Amino acid sequence: MWNKIYYSFPIQLLILHLRKNLALLFLWVILALIILQKFGSVLGIPYLFLDPEYLNEVSWQGFFLMGIALGIFTMSFHMTTYILDGAKFKFLAVIPRPFIQFCINNAIIPLAFYILYLYSFINFQLDNEHEAGEVFQYFLGFAGGSILIYTLIFLYFGFTNKDFFILFADSVEKRLKRSKIPRANMLKRIQESKDAKDKVLDYIDYRLRIELVRRDLSKFKPYQLLRVFDQNHLNLFIIQTILISLILLLGFFRDYPLLQIPAATSATLLFAVITMLVGAVAFWLREYSTLIIILFLVLFNSFSNSPILNRPHAAIGLDYDVEPVVYNIAALEQNLHKDTLQKDRENTLRILENWKAKFPQGSKPRMLMITTSGGGQRAALWTLHVLQQIQKASNNQAFAHTQLITGASGGTVGAAFFRELYLRAQLGEDIDPLDKKYLDQISADNLNPIIFTLLVNDLVIRNQYHEYNGRRYLQDRGFAFEKQLNINTKGVLDKPISAYRDPEEQSLIPMLPVTPLITNDGRKLLISPHSISYMGVSLGRIDGPNEKSQGIDFKRFFHHQDADNLHFISALRMGATFPFITPHIQLPSEPQMEVMDSGLSDNFGMQDALRFLHVFKDWIDQNTSGVTLITIRDSEKFSEIDPKLPPTIFQKMATPLKNIYINWDNVQTLNNEVLYNKHKEWLPFDLDRIEFEYATTDFLRDRGLLVQNSEASQQEREIQRASLNWRLTAREKVSILENINSIQNRSALDKITKIQFLEDPN
């Protein structure tokens, strides 16, 4: 019995994969770890698979597409392993439908994953309080997608793949002999087949019955048996080519919403493409495949900086056709002349005077400043929600008193959206900035088009363009992000940065500089409709040229490249560039300037806010009753210290990088605390702070900050922290919105109600 089990075809295939095809198994392992929420949980990757969103909702259609994608990935695994190892099992050549029977016996790994996926997503959906009937619809959608793709592919192979007797009974042999497709050395393959040590006693046939392997293969000529596999391999190669071509062809139609498939579907199709390419390479190159792949990678890397393969990811709106601006120390110093700094400062002083003029003459208004942290879509939703609650709690006074908003990444996106809604309401449009529908808009899925564009466009040579104000720009996943954000927010942010010059100057809305990090030298790029060079260097230039500037004024530096025409959503994307998800933008300079997420330098916007207070401290002291700094964090300020357990050797190797990643938030928080307390001590006016935090339910409960026995606390009892992503599940959205009900955040709102917005000097 043991021999029958051990030498059965399914077990022998599994052993062969473990011995020889670990690279292919690695893809299954990655998917399994994702499904089990053991990989990528911080970034919300498991939720993309367990809760796929399609057309801005989780439905059976999304699971149907997941079924198709997993079906294609499974078949790519079968096809590739058949190409690599099918000929080792000569008995396949003399049984009916050899490839289909191979798939049935090769199903242990895919079947185990399917069971794991079904259990995981059903359990996830039920845990998210979905009705059993609704979850059953999801299951039917997933099953329908998988069955559809298996049916189509198996029908193809059923009609095209031949066994030994069919192949040599008709003219297929002659057609193969006439084929111009090159074949590997047949004699060598015959010898390899003779040397094969794989032993199989029985297999599961297509009727799911156990059949004994035919042992009398000696009467068949080896080259005839191998010709059966050659014919099968040719059909496999054809279907692989068709599938890859269809996936890439979707790129030409990716602007259609129906084709913007779930992000997890795109990722699974990417895995399928990788697996099929392995099979195609093995089909053509045989034993030389490893060498050829290495040579290809070396050559590709050598030519990857050529103009064709290294075309820049552009900032939409800028002029890349004119002479690029010189980017060196001398050019930076020219933009930091004392007269330039003073001119920019005087321009902002006029804005401050206009801000003060909104209030009764002779009064001293309270100035508000808002800082908001990065954190992807959770930060965007949390920031917008908090701003709505602040405006409501202040009886619509807070934003009129707000002069400056600083921050990073998603927080800036949420703040910019609220600011635009507030501006339109100020200009007389029938808009209520406090309407909850805007929470749905800012939290709508923004990831599907990014990952889909990565699959069908950015992994190959980008060749599609779009126009903006008469200029053409190559499309990429960054453009997909901007376009989807524009769609989600109903086009209200679709304007150049110069469109905000007059509203900011008239103090209809607060100033909101976007400050991405320049990866070339670590400085900030200060993007604003006004020149704000004073934000990047000491106003007095005490040390002269020896003082390294901390920022570059975008408007002045790229004046000849039409800086005023920069698309505002492009500016937001420049400050929210998450590595690998959205590409770094290259700017028209020589050498080429490259920017990434603002959060790397100041994830909470505190440094910019305090610098502004320092530059204009005299005016603020004379004209206001002081400043209230409102900080909106998408993380806990105080985090519990985790217990230290004896690490394993692999943990020791990973600890340094892990500590840098985990503690980066803490390091910035501590530095900001030092800066804030120093400024509070020596600034000549009153400075206080009101803090809002998005924290996990467990954290709030442990600190006694959760409202006990409230409806919110009951709903949020088991909700974990929302992921760092550009897509949120329904449960994560609830977690974020209900967090305003914590004792800490309610206390902060209460402080908002007690702000004395106007102070009568008499």
Side-chain angles (χ1 to χ4, degrees):
M1 180 62 67
W2 166 250
N3 282 344
K4 286 178 67 67
I5 295 174
Y6 183 78
Y7 289 107
S8 65
F9 195 26
I11 298 300
Q12 286 300 301
L13 281 174
L14 177 62
I15 294 173
L16 179 64
H17 295 329
L18 293 173
R19 188 176 73 237
K20 180 174 176 287
N21 298 324
L22 288 178
L24 296 178
L25 295 186
F26 180 72
L27 298 178
W28 287 105
V29 171
I30 289 294
L31 286 176
L33 291 175
I34 290 173
I35 297 306
L36 293 172
Q37 302 187 45
K38 302 295 183 182
F39 179 83
S41 294
V42 174
L43 302 178
I45 296 175
Y47 305 144
L48 304 178
F49 289 81
L50 302 175
D51 199 41
E53 188 169 314
Y54 177 62
L55 298 179
N56 289 323
E57 66 175 351
V58 178
S59 63
W60 69 266
Q61 291 97 329
F63 281 97
F64 177 80
L65 293 172
M66 276 302 306
I68 289 178
L70 280 174
I72 292 175
F73 175 58
T74 301
M75 291 309 302
S76 70
F77 173 73
H78 289 320
M79 288 186 283
T80 297
T81 52
Y82 185 79
I83 289 173
L84 294 174
D85 304 314
K88 298 179 185 296
F89 305 96
K90 293 182 289 183
F91 75 91
L92 286 172
V94 296
I95 63 176
R97 300 179 178 87
F99 174 68
I100 295 177
Q101 308 231 44
F102 176 87
C103 293
I104 293 171
N105 289 269
N106 195 41
I108 290 180
I109 293 171
L111 182 61
F113 179 80
Y114 266 75
I115 294 173
L116 178 65
Y117 180 72
L118 287 173
Y119 170 80
S120 298
F121 98 69
I122 291 174
N123 187 62
F124 180 87
Q125 294 297 331
L126 292 175
D127 192 48
N128 277 268
E129 301 179 358
H130 286 278
E131 296 292 335
E134 189 176 11
V135 177
F136 184 65
Q137 287 183 0
Y138 297 165
F139 166 77
L140 291 179
F142 174 76
S146 296
I147 292 172
L148 174 64
I149 201 67
Y150 291 139
T151 301
L152 293 176
I153 293 180
F154 281 140
L155 281 175
Y156 169 81
F157 288 121
F159 284 110
T160 58
N161 276 12
K162 310 296 181 183
D163 58 43
F164 182 90
F165 302 102
I166 296 177
L167 181 60
F168 288 97
D170 58 21
S171 60
V172 177
E173 179 185 11
K174 297 178 181 179
R175 293 202 302 270
L176 284 173
K177 287 182 178 179
R178 294 197 302 267
S179 175
K180 296 181 180 180
I181 297 178
R183 292 287 189 268
N185 186 288
M186 184 63 74
L187 293 177
K188 186 171 183 179
R189 294 183 59 209
I190 292 172
Q191 186 61 44
E192 289 176 352
S193 179
K194 290 180 178 179
D195 295 340
K197 299 180 181 179
D198 299 277
K199 176 183 176 182
V200 176
L201 296 179
D202 51 53
Y203 66 95
I204 302 174
D205 73 355
Y206 61 89
R207 291 166 294 185
L208 300 182
R209 298 187 305 189
I210 297 177
E211 297 284 347
L212 295 178
V213 169
R214 186 169 183 170
R215 312 306 299 173
D216 58 337
L217 298 179
S218 57
K219 66 180 182 180
F220 302 107
K221 295 180 181 180
Y223 79 89
Q224 292 177 322
L225 296 176
L226 289 173
R227 182 156 290 158
V228 176
F229 291 108
D230 247 2
Q231 186 265 348
N232 288 179
H233 291 174
L234 176 60
N235 290 326
L236 292 173
F237 173 74
I238 291 173
I239 193 63
Q240 285 181 331
T241 303
I242 292 173
L243 287 174
I244 293 175
S245 300
L246 285 175
I247 292 171
L248 296 180
L249 186 64
L250 292 176
F252 293 98
F253 306 97
R254 64 179 183 273
D255 288 339
Y256 292 92
L258 287 175
L259 292 181
Q260 292 180 359
I261 58 181
T265 301
S266 296
T268 307
L269 289 177
L270 174 59
F271 278 21
V273 169
I274 293 172
T275 304
M276 286 188 285
L277 287 177
V278 171
V281 169
F283 174 80
W284 288 106
L285 304 178
R286 306 295 181 186
E287 67 272 16
Y288 296 103
S289 58
T290 301
L291 176 62
I292 298 299
I293 289 174
I294 293 175
L295 291 176
F296 172 78
L297 292 176
V298 171
L299 290 174
F300 181 79
N301 181 66
S302 301
F303 291 100
S304 61
N305 58 355
S306 64
I308 295 179
L309 297 177
N310 195 39
R311 292 182 287 184
H313 297 279
I316 299 173
L318 290 187
D319 189 350
Y320 283 77
D321 295 327
V322 299
E323 189 74 19
V325 62
V326 177
Y327 176 33
N328 55 27
I329 297 297
L332 297 182
E333 288 298 319
Q334 289 178 3
N335 285 290
L336 292 174
H337 188 275
K338 185 177 181 180
D339 292 342
T340 298
L341 295 172
Q342 185 60 30
K343 179 181 179 181
D344 292 349
R345 182 176 180 273
E346 290 175 354
N347 180 65
T348 304
L349 284 172
R350 286 192 293 271
I351 296 176
L352 292 175
E353 290 291 343
N354 290 335
W355 172 82
K356 184 184 177 183
K358 296 190 299 183
F359 308 108
Q361 188 173 4
S363 65
K364 282 195 170 185
R366 188 76 178 180
M367 178 179 287
L368 270 57
M369 288 190 177
I370 297 171
T371 67
T372 179
S373 69
Q377 198 166 46
R378 76 177 180 216
L381 177 58
W382 176 239
T383 298
L384 176 60
H385 185 46
V386 172
L387 289 177
Q388 287 185 331
Q389 295 299 314
I390 288 173
Q391 189 71 350
K392 182 179 179 181
S394 67
N395 197 22
N396 292 322
Q397 294 187 76
F399 225 61
H401 284 257
T402 303
Q403 174 52 42
L404 180 71
I405 301 174
T406 60
S409 190
T412 305
V413 174
F417 185 42
F418 183 80
R419 186 182 73 150
E420 174 64 30
L421 297 174
Y422 177 80
L423 172 62
R424 290 174 178 250
Q426 292 288 98
L427 296 177
E429 293 190 30
D430 186 18
I431 284 180
D432 179 10
L434 307 186
D435 196 320
K436 291 183 178 180
K437 70 179 182 182
Y438 300 119
L439 298 173
D440 295 329
Q441 292 180 15
I442 200 65
S443 61
D445 174 69
N446 207 16
L447 190 64
N448 285 352
I450 297 176
I451 304 301
F452 185 60
T453 303
L454 173 66
L455 170 68
V456 300
N457 184 76
D458 289 13
L459 291 180
V460 294
I461 298 177
R462 292 178 290 134
N463 57 5
Q464 289 184 271
Y465 290 83
H466 68 280
E467 286 196 6
Y468 178 78
N469 285 355
R471 298 191 181 112
R472 299 175 75 234
Y473 301 90
L474 274 169
Q475 295 187 23
D476 56 23
R477 60 192 184 280
F479 168 73
F481 169 85
E482 295 181 27
K483 181 178 179 180
Q484 190 62 44
L485 178 61
N486 192 40
I487 292 173
N488 292 347
T489 55
K490 310 304 179 185
V492 298
L493 298 172
D494 188 10
K495 55 178 65 176
I497 61 171
S498 59
Y500 288 109
R501 183 188 301 115
D502 290 343
E504 286 188 9
E505 186 169 345
Q506 298 167 14
S507 198
L508 293 175
I509 54 174
M511 298 174 67
L512 192 156
V514 182
T515 57
L517 179 75
I518 303 171
T519 60
N520 307 61
D521 54 22
R523 292 178 169 91
K524 288 183 178 182
L525 186 64
L526 307 169
I527 303 176
S528 171
H530 306 277
S531 289
I532 51 174
S533 57
Y534 53 79
M535 293 289 286
V537 72
S538 298
L539 194 59
R541 302 300 310 276
I542 298 173
D543 295 325
N546 291 324
E547 179 189 356
K548 180 177 179 178
S549 61
Q550 299 97 54
I552 299 174
D553 182 68
F554 172 82
K555 178 179 168 64
R556 181 171 279 109
F557 193 76
F558 289 102
H559 172 72
H560 295 292
Q561 286 71 34
D562 199 7
D564 282 340
N565 198 40
L566 175 69
H567 194 213
F568 182 61
I569 298 181
S570 286
L572 293 176
R573 197 248 294 189
M574 290 163 71
T577 301
F578 195 84
F580 304 111
I581 301 300
T582 48
H584 296 178
I585 283 182
Q586 289 87 34
L587 298 173
S589 64
E590 183 59 43
Q592 201 169 61
M593 182 185 295
E594 193 169 279
V595 297
M596 66 174 296
D597 200 294
S598 309
L600 191 62
S601 59
D602 183 13
N603 193 49
F604 303 99
M606 184 67 73
Q607 295 176 17
D608 291 332
L610 294 177
R611 180 180 288 274
F612 188 91
L613 292 179
H614 171 70
V615 172
F616 298 102
K617 61 181 182 297
D618 293 335
W619 188 94
I620 294 173
D621 181 41
Q622 296 172 11
N623 294 277
T624 74
S625 62
V627 174
T628 296
L629 193 62
I630 299 175
T631 65
I632 305 173
R633 297 175 56 101
D634 92 319
S635 61
E636 300 96 342
K637 185 176 179 179
F638 300 98
S639 56
E640 194 55 72
I641 300 172
D642 295 328
K644 275 287 185 181
L645 300 176
T648 64
I649 185 65
F650 291 114
Q651 288 174 335
K652 288 181 180 179
M653 295 171 61
T655 293
L657 291 176
K658 182 180 178 182
N659 286 343
I660 292 174
Y661 172 76
I662 292 176
N663 288 315
W664 189 248
D665 184 276
N666 293 330
V667 169
Q668 291 197 30
T669 297
L670 291 172
N671 288 337
N672 288 340
E673 287 296 289
V674 173
L675 282 174
Y676 172 76
N677 288 318
K678 283 185 176 179
H679 280 74
K680 184 174 177 62
E681 290 173 1
W682 61 259
L683 282 174
F685 49 82
D686 176 57
L687 174 65
D688 64 2
R689 178 172 55 177
I690 301 175
E691 295 178 303
F692 292 86
E693 295 181 17
Y694 167 57
T696 64
T697 306
D698 289 339
F699 174 83
L700 296 171
R701 186 182 295 112
D702 291 342
R703 296 188 64 209
L705 298 177
L706 192 68
V707 180
Q708 299 299 320
N709 300 320
S710 71
E711 181 181 352
S713 67
Q714 294 300 321
Q715 291 177 349
E716 297 301 292
R717 189 173 300 279
E718 301 299 333
I719 288 181
Q720 302 297 314
R721 179 171 179 76
S723 55
L724 177 61
N725 208 322
W726 283 108
R727 188 260 173 171
L728 298 170
T729 66
R731 191 170 186 177
E732 287 177 319
K733 294 175 186 178
V734 172
S735 167
I736 293 169
L737 298 179
E738 291 294 343
N739 220 262
I740 199 71
N741 292 312
S742 73
I743 292 177
Q744 178 173 322
N745 290 326
R746 282 296 171 192
S747 175
L749 285 174
D750 186 57
K751 292 178 182 177
I752 295 291
T753 64
K754 296 177 181 178
I755 294 176
Q756 187 175 354
F757 287 100
L758 289 175
E759 179 181 293
D760 190 339
N762 299 322

